[in-house]
Amino acid sequence: MGELAVEKHVKYVLSVEKRKDDFESVVMEHLRMNGAYWGLTTLDMLGKLEMVDRDEIVSWVMQCQHESGGFGGNIGHDPHILYTVSAVQILALFAKIDVLDIDKVSNYISCLQNEDGSFSGDMWGEVDTRFSYIAICSLALLHRLDKIDVEKAVKYIISCKNVDGGFGSIPGAESHAGQIFCCVGALAITGSLHHVDKDLLGWWLCERQVKSGGLNGRPEKLPDVCYSWWVLSSLIMIDRAHWIDKEKLVRFILDCQDKENGGISDRPDDAVDVYHTYFGVAGLSHLEYPGLKPIDPAYALPVDVVNRIFFGK
Amino acid sequence: MESDESQSEWIPLSLRPEWADVRPVPQDDGPNPVVPIAYSDDFAETMDYFRAVYLADERSHRALHLTAEAILFNAGNYTVWQFRRLILEALKTDLHEELNFVDFVARENSKNYQIWHHRRWVAEKLGTDAMRRELEFTKRIFSQDAKNYHAWSHRQWVLQALGGWEDELAYCQQLLEDDIFNNSAWNQRYFVVTRSPLLGGLEAMRESEVRYAVEAILTKPENESSWRYLRGLYKDNAKSWVNDPQVSSVCLKVLTSKNNYLFALGMLLDLLCLGFEPSQELKNAVDALNYESDPSDSNLAKTVSSILEHVDPMRVNYWKWRGSTVPHKRV
Ligand SMILES: [Zn+2]
């Protein structure tokens, strides 16, 4: 299986999509904020964050902010909560949250809470437990959770719990590992994990491991490196990570590396992208792969960054 | 990603007379981007014109057409969709037409969040008028990808907001006949059984649904979904789960077949931990699968969990923990 090709992955992240006329990279334009978060967090876990120009990135991030307080996916793009959380996380990585007008950003986020406690992603009103997580995670990082009705937010998330112990995007929607991460993460951040049936959910999550060692996101679906993050983070938050075969999962992730050009793909021999590179490295960090910074399963930021924010060190 | 139709006739905007008055605005990527973006020329030009009308807030017919072109290049661009909605509102466009457009885009991009968000917005405006069409639309998506998460959310919203429950149970049945492992269809079945205003709720449906689940389990005992469905039918009613002879009997049938009995053992373990008294037949069936541990162990739950440790080694820690929490046998 070989080892984690650290140098190659660093090179890959730094050079992502320099190739011209690549349609896939054009498609990234509008979500560059998310791409930057995935790339930069990967570099930080690999201990190479100093290879980028922090001031330039911070200045670019701030140029993506709108009057409303929300952030767009790139300069000149409309704001959405999905890009706002990435902007906050990037600033957190660089210990630069203080450049923000915190009340402005947190007002933007808190205004997206609906009467039933759920969150919309933007002014058009799409509701999804992903947005609950994003709102709660961002506001916690900004020390402004008091701006929303946390009790109602928690109640809404619990209304999305299914009989298999998992969670979906809205009440009645199928359990899905990505949505479970969001719901468990939001409940962890708000100190509400007692609402989770940990043993039942833990079993559902560890059933996601398939013969190859990889994890899928729903029954009978193919394994995918990104679920190493969604499933494993959820298991860690509910204290059940030892219920999967960690060694087999490490091997699966390492098998998804492009050892020549760097980067990690969803499955062995597929094309790499920065998204799966981040989730692969983050998964390995959860699995205590040597040489990687530990990452916080709820905030999706390196533990030292989270400690700096909450404990001032 | 682009459709061939739009590509073959594509004329650069700079050569179209109706766009002569517009000065395109290039993307400002900031200095030394962390994730540098490469743009293909045609798409780049379209986006430059899009930025121009967007910055001028031009809610016109040509701007509407331009958003369509930009979407056909890249259906994931959030800003383009959002601006399109503003134009549709301003022009009071026929929204049935808009559904045609979304149909077209969705053929290639059925996993794109923006499309579903937009579709929902349009359908919400059209109200009950849109119900049949939306149910058909999601069916078409499922014929390609029966587990499409967005489509299922959309369909559940349609049922709850616009109605159309009459055929839903039969539709679930049909999908499960196509693929009995389709967890999304099982979830939808549970959704219908518990939420349809026409069926009387879980209590009323339990008997027939248990029969359905048991039959599905016996067809494919390795199916995680049907076992979880069976358990879900006794939500908040663990006692009737433990006492229902249909449940222990399906476990027994699968165990005696000696094939794909993992979930059967798991459920039996759950039952035993809740005080279920096993028949001699069940004990014998378990003993017949027990090659490793001490056959004289008088605690059946312990035996079951130790078998599971051996037949499911990837989750050995889970089953070990289950074994450690088995209640002590009453003396
Ligand atoms: Zn993936």
Side-chain angles (χ1 to χ4, degrees):
Chain A
M1 80 178 153
E3 301 190 332
L4 183 66
V6 172
E7 293 309 318
K8 301 267 180 172
H9 296 322
V10 170
K11 234 174 109 190
Y12 166 74
V13 170
L14 290 172
S15 72
V16 156
E17 285 129 22
K18 263 193 183 130
R19 295 151 293 161
K20 291 284 168 203
D21 303 320
D22 178 336
F23 189 81
E24 289 309 312
S25 56
V26 175
V27 172
M28 289 282 290
E29 173 214 317
H30 64 284
L31 46 78
R32 206 166 135 220
M33 189 67 80
N34 301 140
Y37 159 73
W38 294 322
L40 292 165
T41 310
T42 305
L43 288 178
D44 199 12
M45 284 185 284
L46 296 170
K48 292 289 193 298
L49 192 59
E50 80 281 354
M51 291 185 76
V52 298
D53 186 328
R54 161 173 119 151
D55 294 336
E56 275 187 12
I57 293 167
V58 169
S59 127
W60 169 75
V61 168
M62 293 312 291
Q63 286 180 66
C64 297
Q65 193 179 19
H66 282 247
E67 245 336 284
S68 62
F71 285 78
N74 204 338
I75 296 172
H77 287 243
D78 285 334
H80 193 285
I81 199 169
L82 281 167
Y83 310 124
T84 304
V85 67
S86 286
V88 171
Q89 285 168 317
I90 292 168
L91 295 173
L93 273 181
F94 289 126
K96 278 288 190 182
I97 284 192
D98 55 347
V99 305
L100 280 175
D101 180 340
I102 288 178
D103 283 318
K104 203 168 156 181
V105 186
S106 43
N107 275 338
Y108 168 79
I109 297 169
S110 59
C111 286
L112 292 169
Q113 188 170 30
N114 302 309
E115 201 38 54
D116 62 357
S118 68
F119 282 83
S120 300
D122 61 16
M123 58 175 276
W124 300 97
E126 184 191 14
V127 168
D128 188 320
T129 46
R130 289 184 307 147
F131 305 146
S132 300
Y133 164 74
I134 288 171
I136 286 168
C137 177
S138 311
L139 290 174
L141 291 171
L142 298 170
H143 302 286
R144 286 293 188 283
L145 266 182
D146 56 314
K147 289 231 173 185
I148 55 166
D149 189 332
V150 171
E151 204 180 305
K152 270 190 172 177
V154 167
K155 229 175 122 193
Y156 180 78
I157 291 169
I158 293 164
S159 74
C160 298
K161 185 161 83 172
N162 291 318
V163 278
D164 55 21
F167 295 83
S169 57
I170 45 171
E174 185 185 2
S175 294
H176 179 292
Q179 305 289 346
I180 291 171
F181 164 81
C182 291
C183 294
V184 173
L187 294 174
I189 292 170
T190 55
S192 316
L193 281 176
H194 53 282
H195 292 293
V196 178
D197 187 340
K198 293 179 187 166
D199 297 332
L200 184 62
L201 175 59
W203 180 45
W204 189 92
L205 288 166
C206 74
E207 282 290 338
R208 304 284 54 81
Q209 190 163 32
V210 300
K211 282 203 181 72
S212 65
L215 300 162
N216 63 21
R218 288 183 272 165
E220 295 296 322
K221 301 279 283 184
L222 291 172
D224 181 328
V225 159
C226 60
Y227 291 111
S228 313
W229 168 263
W230 308 120
V231 173
L232 201 47
S233 293
S234 306
L235 281 168
I236 291 172
M237 288 187 274
I238 61 169
D239 264 331
R240 304 291 187 274
H242 55 289
W243 284 359
I244 60 159
D245 188 330
K246 293 187 180 180
E247 236 169 85
K248 279 191 115 174
L249 180 56
V250 169
R251 235 172 293 145
F252 176 80
I253 299 173
L254 292 175
D255 280 344
C256 295
Q257 299 181 93
D258 179 339
K259 283 198 219 125
E260 246 165 68
N261 303 309
I264 298 174
S265 55
D266 56 354
R267 277 179 282 283
D269 303 320
D270 280 0
V272 303
D273 59 64
V274 70
Y275 172 85
H276 288 95
T277 305
Y278 161 72
F279 286 115
V281 173
L284 289 172
S285 164
H286 275 340
L287 294 160
E288 292 162 67
Y289 192 90
L292 298 176
K293 262 196 188 183
I295 185 158
D296 186 278
Y299 293 99
L301 285 168
V303 169
D304 61 337
V305 172
V306 173
N307 285 344
R308 190 170 62 213
I309 288 169
F310 294 107
F311 307 111
K313 180 62 219 134
Chain B
M1 286 235 187
E2 322 84 309
S3 72
D4 291 326
E5 294 93 322
S6 70
Q7 280 296 288
S8 54
E9 290 174 34
W10 200 82
I11 301 163
L13 286 141
S14 52
L15 301 178
R16 297 184 211 173
E18 72 270 27
W19 287 99
D21 60 312
V22 175
R23 241 181 92 190
V25 180
Q27 171 69 39
D28 176 1
D29 272 337
N32 188 25
V34 195
V35 185
I37 309 291
Y39 300 92
S40 74
D41 294 345
D42 295 348
F43 178 48
E45 193 195 62
T46 305
M47 289 312 292
D48 293 350
Y49 278 85
F50 170 76
R51 271 175 223 105
V53 294
Y54 170 73
L55 289 171
D57 198 14
E58 181 188 312
R59 303 184 192 185
S60 64
H61 283 284
R62 71 172 180 181
L64 185 66
H65 287 299
L66 186 61
T67 58
E69 286 190 33
I71 285 164
L72 291 173
F73 270 116
N74 176 12
N77 191 314
Y78 168 69
T79 304
V80 178
W81 283 105
Q82 155 145 310
F83 190 53
R84 185 173 175 87
R85 283 190 284 278
L86 291 175
I87 301 172
L88 289 169
E89 275 180 341
L91 299 180
K92 301 195 169 47
T93 316
D94 175 10
L95 290 177
H96 292 283
E97 275 298 312
E98 187 62 7
L99 288 180
N100 293 338
F101 173 68
V102 182
D103 280 352
F104 182 75
V105 183
R107 291 203 312 214
E108 303 280 332
N109 300 279
S110 67
K111 286 191 175 166
N112 171 309
Y113 278 100
Q114 291 308 320
I115 289 173
W116 291 100
H117 180 192
H118 189 74
R119 181 113 198 163
R120 162 87 173 262
W121 178 79
V122 175
E124 209 157 15
K125 294 215 154 212
L126 289 171
T128 42
D129 267 12
M131 184 257 282
R132 289 279 153 230
R133 181 161 180 180
E134 292 314 284
L135 292 176
E136 280 310 311
F137 174 69
T138 48
K139 264 190 191 177
R140 213 156 54 237
I141 301 288
F142 296 138
S143 67
Q144 311 279 322
D145 172 11
K147 300 175 186 173
N148 185 308
Y149 200 82
H150 307 280
W152 279 113
S153 300
H154 189 71
R155 191 173 178 92
Q156 293 189 343
W157 171 78
V158 173
L159 289 167
Q160 288 180 311
L162 312 178
W165 291 95
E166 306 77 38
D167 308 322
E168 199 59 11
L169 197 62
Y171 180 53
C172 294
Q173 184 122 352
Q174 183 201 322
L175 286 174
L176 289 172
E177 272 164 29
D178 295 345
D179 175 13
I180 201 167
F181 292 97
N182 181 348
N183 193 60
S184 304
W186 282 104
N187 184 72
Q188 183 72 353
R189 191 173 182 105
Y190 196 78
F191 178 82
V192 177
V193 164
T194 52
R195 296 179 193 239
S196 166
L198 311 176
L199 295 176
L202 185 55
E203 289 289 331
M205 294 294 289
R206 184 173 294 133
E207 212 184 300
S208 56
E209 287 306 290
V210 168
R211 268 201 308 274
Y212 183 80
V214 163
E215 202 177 304
I217 287 171
L218 292 175
T219 314
K220 294 282 176 193
E222 69 274 36
N223 187 358
E224 180 181 346
S225 305
S226 49
W227 285 100
R228 290 197 194 274
Y229 186 79
L230 177 64
R231 173 64 185 95
L233 293 172
Y234 301 90
K235 182 178 189 274
D236 304 326
N237 204 341
K239 216 172 165 189
S240 58
W241 178 41
V242 174
N243 294 328
D244 192 335
Q246 295 179 91
V247 177
S248 46
S249 120
V250 70
C251 292
L252 176 65
K253 277 183 189 154
V254 175
L255 293 177
T256 43
S257 79
K258 294 192 170 190
N259 256 320
N260 296 318
Y261 50 79
L262 222 141
F263 290 114
L265 279 179
M267 186 165 282
L268 177 60
L269 181 56
D270 290 339
L271 297 175
L272 291 167
C273 289
L274 290 171
F276 170 71
E277 292 290 345
S279 64
Q280 192 56 47
E281 248 184 317
L282 252 172
K283 287 181 191 163
N284 295 343
V286 171
D287 277 336
L289 300 169
N290 185 15
Y291 310 110
E292 305 273 345
S293 78
D294 180 6
S296 64
D297 196 334
S298 57
N299 192 325
L300 189 65
K302 289 261 190 218
T303 311
V304 169
S305 63
S306 81
I307 298 172
L308 280 162
E309 285 172 37
H310 290 110
V311 294
D312 190 17
M314 213 151 45
R315 279 165 279 275
V316 62
N317 288 339
Y318 172 69
W319 297 119
K320 272 200 174 128
W321 171 79
R322 288 297 306 266
S324 75
T325 59
V326 164
H328 289 290
K329 207 173 153 61
R330 278 156 289 171
V331 189

